[in-house]
Amino acid sequence: MNTSKRQPLCQLPVSSLKGVGPSLAARLAVINIHTVQDLLFHLPLRYQDRTRLTPIGATRLGADVMLEGEVLSCEVSFGRRRSMLCRIKDGTGIITLRFFHFSAAQKNALQPGVKLRCYGEVRHGKTGFELYHPEYQFRSNDINSAIAEHLTPIYPATEGLQQVRLRSILQQALDLLQDRPEVNAHSTPIAQVDGDDLHDWIPAILRQQLRFVSLRKALLFLHRPPPDTAIELLEEGRHPAQQRLAFEELLSHRLCLRRLRLQAEQLQAPKLTARQKLPQAFLASLPFALTKAQLKVLQEITADLSTGKPMLRLLQGDVGSGKTVVAAMAALQAVENGFQAAIMAPTEILAEQHYLNFLQWLQPLGLSVGWLSGKLKGKKREEQMQILRDGSAHVVVGTHALFQEGVQFARLGLIIIDEQHRFGVHQRLALREKGASSQNIPHQLVMTATPIPRTLAMSAYADLDCSVIDELPPGRTPVNTVIVANTRRDEVIDRIHNACRKGSQVYWVCTLIEESEALQCQAAEVTAASLQQKLPDLQIALLHGRMKAADKTNIMAAFKRGEFQLLVATTVIEVGVDVPNASLMVIENPERLGLAQLHQLRGRVGRGSVASHCLLLYQNPLSEIGKQRLGIMRDSNDGFYIAERDLEIRGPGQVLGTQQTGLMSFRVADLIRDASLLEQVKFAAEVIQKDYPGHVGPLIQRWLGDRENYANV
Ligand code: ADP
Ligand code: MG
């Protein structure tokens, strides 16, 4: 332990803590915890209050409580589900503990008169208030073991890593932290502090100005909140200590993106002049003319590409606004200048759809289109890799597989990333390195249909310029959205029948609150089976996230060919799937989704010329906010408007939907919840860049991990 005292926490390996052997260290490594500093930044997900005993008579429904009482009786009840009921009393009341899983030994130990302390959630059961499966321990008469001194942290769960063990090693880490003197980086010359202890890289002067606590205070607090802390505030991530960390994380991201931007500006990119042959031929082959908005963004892109400086542009456009055609035009500009273009999509389904589009568009122009995805293996993969390497593929479409090791391009000039919100900043950066030589990097166009309110966009994409397609192609009839209670399910099913009889196709989207993907898929299976029973003459297909990529692609293709009339799917179809003949969509339990995601889903219909409908089949009772939100969906088809309104009315604690916006993955911060920090983040980033440039590296390192190369692209 002596050496550990001297070694900085950011270098001190977790294995130096008591009880951390090689196997535990390996498990921690899986969740990126290597050093004591990493461990300190592994923050609780939620908390339990075991700092006080609640009298049984004072329990409230839904509360998590710690109770102490004496066993009155313990018996097995054979109801619908066998359970063991143990009644306990204290001076104020009686309550039942209910166990569905139990052993004979357990039952024998719960003799009348035995004293228990238990912890659990108060539910409404057959016998009145009950605790289901509480944790409990026996209390002997004489020893009055202490109740907890602070709120009990619950850490993100990981396979084979129990809370108790995590808590015990964190305890040691916190003791180490507490033992060390507070270090303020700004007061010490950089050379001395660099790589030293756990530093607060936000200068005290800024901290005071912005009223943030120190890093050490924030960390100590979050791992051991005192008993009087408002749990709700913590669980919403709005406690000042959390905000302090969220701020630092957002700041680090911004610094990283700004640094990349500055570095990119020092670099060269191929000068892709606006020659017109291929783009003109392509336009002439399309059955429609580009919209004004498409032409405008195309001009911006063309101008970027021809400067010889790397383009870093975000293209936002609502679902169906025609971003793919714009991407194709940009790709053709690269090809005409003798460079390759790569188009990357987040899912196999979407990538394949782009691939088919590009084949259809570009082959007639005499161009060759490559294809690379994770499922492509063996000889076929080799072939594709070869044509990328030797340059005979002009354009290549694919998934993440495009930027994996070993993939080489002959002359990559332009990278197009579709549906950006699915890619984290890490992937964006890794991709940027592809095709980069020391002085030369490819241009980059990032396309997203997630309408991002301006303030958020500025932050999430601080390294990008922004173009917006703010108009839909003509002749679209807006999707007519109707809100229907689940009690009218049969009418909805009739309506599906009618639509299919008229030759349309229908989506049925299942959503589930369960986090588990397995349960979601199961629910979709059950729904598909019950719909099939009610609609025996329809061809019904099922699509969910647990299916093999190849199966998903096949089903999607068959649906597109019209072989199925009804597609029952989980939200996997959210992104970019294009089946113009589908004109009706039913979304089950829409109240569970973020509006941005609902809008994306709804964008799957309304792609053809016939009027389309979207039925939001909600479950009663619907909260006031829930009603308002679905009302917004009914009243508007404008993704940007919807996003702004959603942000406005989403009250605290309404975290649903934030994950759907998933602009970037953060450890502590949440772009929507913490939107109010963004102005300060911007300000602080400027100050640090200017006055404390030495802090930039360590901050990026701390929050964006050990991929240092991100910072030196
Ligand atoms: P998104 O922006 O959602 O990716 P897509 O690029 O998939 O939209 O375009 C949606 C549909 O609109 C496609 O079928 C596409 O061919 C068509 N489309 C694109 N631009 C136009 C246009 N200017 N006029 C008519 N249809 C268009
Ligand atoms: Mg698209």
Side-chain angles (χ1 to χ4, degrees):
M1 274 320 217
N2 264 346
T3 52
S4 69
K5 287 262 182 229
R6 259 172 274 120
Q7 224 174 345
L9 299 182
C10 62
Q11 284 168 21
L12 192 62
V14 272
S15 54
S16 66
L17 299 175
K18 259 196 302 204
V20 185
S23 95
L24 182 54
R27 274 184 209 139
L28 289 168
V30 171
I31 49 173
N32 276 322
I33 298 179
H34 308 281
T35 65
V36 172
Q37 170 175 298
D38 295 337
L39 194 59
L40 288 169
F41 278 87
H42 189 62
L43 296 171
L45 265 187
R46 26 187 206 94
Y47 299 88
Q48 294 177 342
D49 187 353
R50 298 172 188 237
T51 63
R52 63 192 117 215
L53 285 171
T54 305
I56 291 179
T59 50
R60 283 180 300 112
L61 192 62
D64 288 317
V65 292
M66 190 160 68
L67 307 175
E68 219 169 70
E70 189 182 312
V71 175
L72 282 176
S73 66
C74 182
E75 60 211 22
V76 175
S77 124
F78 298 88
R80 203 162 54 90
R81 227 178 132 186
R82 204 171 75 103
S83 51
M84 176 172 82
L85 304 179
C86 175
R87 282 154 60 75
I88 61 169
K89 65 155 194 194
D90 64 6
T92 67
I94 296 178
I95 195 165
T96 302
L97 317 181
R98 185 182 288 272
F99 299 85
F100 295 109
H101 308 281
F102 54 91
S103 64
Q106 215 177 343
K107 178 168 181 296
N108 285 337
L110 293 167
Q111 292 291 334
V114 163
K115 290 215 169 98
L116 293 182
R117 178 181 287 172
C118 48
Y119 182 88
E121 187 193 338
V122 182
R123 305 239 208 148
H124 202 74
K126 273 213 196 90
T127 68
F129 281 178
E130 299 184 350
L131 299 189
Y132 283 17
H133 267 283
E135 293 170 38
Y136 66 91
Q137 69 202 76
F138 295 102
R139 317 268 302 126
S140 56
N141 280 330
D142 40 8
I143 310 162
N144 205 4
S145 69
I147 52 176
E149 284 166 17
H150 46 80
L151 300 184
T152 308
I154 309 288
Y155 293 98
T158 332
E159 192 92 32
L161 201 59
Q162 281 125 12
Q163 294 294 327
V164 198
R165 290 192 91 184
L166 261 175
R167 271 179 222 146
S168 113
I169 56 175
L170 260 153
Q171 192 66 33
Q172 297 176 56
L174 291 165
D175 289 345
L176 278 175
L177 176 63
Q178 213 146 29
D179 284 352
R180 301 195 174 203
E182 183 137 19
V183 193
N184 278 314
H186 75 283
S187 55
T188 329
I190 289 302
Q192 265 170 273
V193 297
D194 210 358
D196 208 43
D197 224 330
L198 185 74
H199 290 289
D200 199 334
W201 295 107
I202 302 185
I205 193 164
L206 265 179
R207 239 158 48 213
Q208 278 152 17
Q209 207 173 343
L210 303 172
R211 295 172 199 276
F212 284 120
V213 297
S214 74
L215 178 63
R216 150 212 289 272
K217 275 215 186 80
L219 288 175
L220 287 171
F221 184 94
L222 291 176
H223 288 288
R224 298 169 172 168
D228 54 352
T229 312
I231 282 204
E232 306 77 58
L233 211 58
L234 282 175
E235 299 204 323
E236 286 165 11
R238 291 173 194 273
H239 191 279
Q242 288 161 316
Q243 291 284 292
R244 161 66 171 81
L245 293 179
F247 176 80
E248 183 173 319
E249 183 173 30
L250 290 168
L251 177 66
S252 307
H253 272 256
R254 185 174 178 94
L255 287 169
C256 180
L257 292 173
R258 292 309 299 169
R259 174 185 273 196
L260 282 162
R261 174 81 205 197
L262 290 174
Q263 285 168 343
E265 278 164 9
Q266 308 303 312
L267 297 171
Q268 307 293 312
K271 211 174 167 117
L272 306 173
T273 55
R275 297 204 194 112
Q276 286 303 323
K277 224 174 86 225
L278 283 172
Q280 286 309 334
F282 170 59
L283 280 186
S285 75
L286 289 175
F288 48 75
L290 296 189
T291 61
K292 264 212 221 83
Q294 283 170 316
L295 288 169
K296 182 193 70 193
V297 301
L298 206 52
Q299 236 167 30
E300 290 165 351
I301 293 169
T302 306
D304 279 359
L305 292 177
S306 56
T307 59
K309 288 280 164 201
M311 169 173 78
L312 295 166
R313 188 168 284 280
L314 173 69
L315 173 56
Q316 286 193 75
D318 209 342
V319 182
S321 60
K323 294 182 291 295
T324 323
V325 177
V326 172
M329 291 287 283
L332 288 173
Q333 189 170 338
V335 174
E336 189 147 333
N337 282 276
F339 284 87
Q340 293 166 297
I343 293 104
M344 180 169 77
T347 66
E348 193 106 6
I349 295 182
L350 187 56
E352 182 142 340
Q353 187 176 303
H354 278 329
Y355 175 60
L356 296 175
N357 269 333
F358 276 83
L359 264 187
Q360 196 194 335
W361 285 338
L362 304 190
Q363 262 183 344
L365 304 177
L367 302 180
S368 128
V369 182
W371 163 252
L372 203 61
S373 84
K375 73 171 189 197
L376 196 69
K377 295 264 152 47
K379 198 151 159 261
K380 286 209 170 126
R381 183 181 175 83
E382 243 337 287
E383 273 167 29
Q384 294 297 317
M385 302 266 276
Q386 177 61 31
I387 62 171
L388 299 192
R389 205 161 39 229
D390 68 20
S392 51
H394 299 99
V395 170
V396 55
V397 183
T399 59
H400 305 71
L402 279 177
F403 65 90
Q404 269 151 14
E405 294 244 345
V407 180
Q408 283 171 18
F409 293 88
R411 302 188 73 195
L412 184 59
L414 169 65
I415 294 167
I416 300 170
I417 307 178
D418 195 11
E419 307 296 355
Q420 159 67 16
H421 64 297
R422 292 299 178 95
F423 292 108
V425 63
H426 288 161
Q427 284 153 320
R428 188 148 99 224
L429 300 179
L431 189 62
R432 198 176 289 178
E433 286 172 60
K434 271 288 166 209
S437 56
S438 59
Q439 285 311 305
N440 221 313
I441 63 171
H443 296 280
Q444 205 176 109
L445 179 65
V446 166
M447 307 197 292
T448 175
T450 311
I452 311 160
R454 253 192 76 74
T455 43
L456 298 189
M458 268 174 13
S459 241
Y461 303 116
D463 60 332
L464 303 178
D465 297 314
C466 189
S467 294
V468 181
I469 305 186
D470 51 9
E471 144 187 51
L472 291 181
R476 298 266 170 89
T477 28
V479 180
N480 171 36
T481 301
V482 185
I483 308 176
V484 193
N486 193 31
T487 44
R488 291 168 56 197
R489 201 179 175 93
D490 285 339
E491 286 168 52
V492 170
I493 292 173
D494 281 346
R495 190 148 168 192
I496 294 176
H497 203 199
N498 280 335
C500 292
R501 238 191 336 233
K502 288 189 193 133
S504 269
Q505 287 169 286
V506 180
Y507 293 105
W508 182 292
V509 184
C510 302
T511 61
L512 245 201
I513 197 124
E514 257 78 23
E515 310 241 306
S516 135
E517 205 195 2
L519 282 176
Q520 273 204 37
C521 301
Q522 206 185 345
E525 275 164 21
V526 171
T527 308
S530 101
L531 287 170
Q532 183 72 78
Q533 211 169 34
K534 292 191 169 148
L535 298 165
D537 52 332
L538 295 191
Q539 301 300 317
I540 301 182
L542 175 66
L543 189 74
H544 63 60
R546 291 208 131 191
M547 292 165 50
K548 286 208 198 93
D551 294 341
K552 281 194 271 194
T553 311
N554 291 339
I555 286 180
M556 223 37 240
F559 186 62
K560 198 164 177 166
R561 288 193 301 268
E563 289 167 26
F564 298 104
Q565 291 141 301
L566 175 59
L567 182 68
V568 177
T570 57
T571 48
V572 294
I573 59 154
E574 175 192 343
V575 174
V577 171
D578 193 23
V579 181
N581 190 44
S583 64
L584 176 61
M585 172 176 280
V586 180
I587 305 177
E588 231 181 320
N589 303 113
E591 68 276 11
R592 290 169 178 170
L593 298 182
L595 293 193
Q597 195 181 14
L598 277 175
H599 182 67
Q600 288 270 314
L601 280 169
R602 181 172 61 180
R604 302 306 117 220
V605 291
R607 306 205 137 211
S609 46
V610 302
S612 295
H613 303 273
C614 177
L615 308 184
L616 302 176
L617 192 58
Y618 70 91
Q619 189 75 46
N620 260 322
L622 196 55
S623 71
E624 207 36 57
I625 287 189
K627 267 182 214 151
Q628 258 186 50
R629 296 172 80 236
L630 294 189
I632 292 171
M633 291 306 293
R634 179 192 51 214
D635 299 340
S636 175
N637 270 295
D638 177 342
F640 282 89
Y641 171 79
I642 292 174
E644 303 272 3
R645 289 284 289 135
D646 196 19
L647 196 61
E648 244 173 66
I649 65 165
R650 191 186 281 150
Q654 281 275 331
V655 276
L656 264 188
T658 50
Q659 161 202 354
Q660 278 85 24
T661 56
L663 301 173
M664 289 202 254
S665 54
F666 291 102
R667 281 147 70 180
V668 185
D670 174 321
L671 266 187
I672 295 201
R673 180 194 64 209
D674 303 329
S676 62
L677 293 175
L678 293 174
E679 272 306 311
Q680 297 172 343
V681 165
K682 203 170 148 200
F683 166 74
E686 269 155 36
V687 172
I688 290 182
Q689 247 166 354
K690 193 163 137 278
D691 300 337
Y692 307 86
H695 295 203
V696 175
L699 274 170
I700 293 175
Q701 169 72 24
R702 175 181 287 163
W703 289 96
L704 285 132
D706 37 85
R707 302 282 305 269
E708 269 160 80
N709 51 330
Y710 289 147
N712 323 313
V713 170

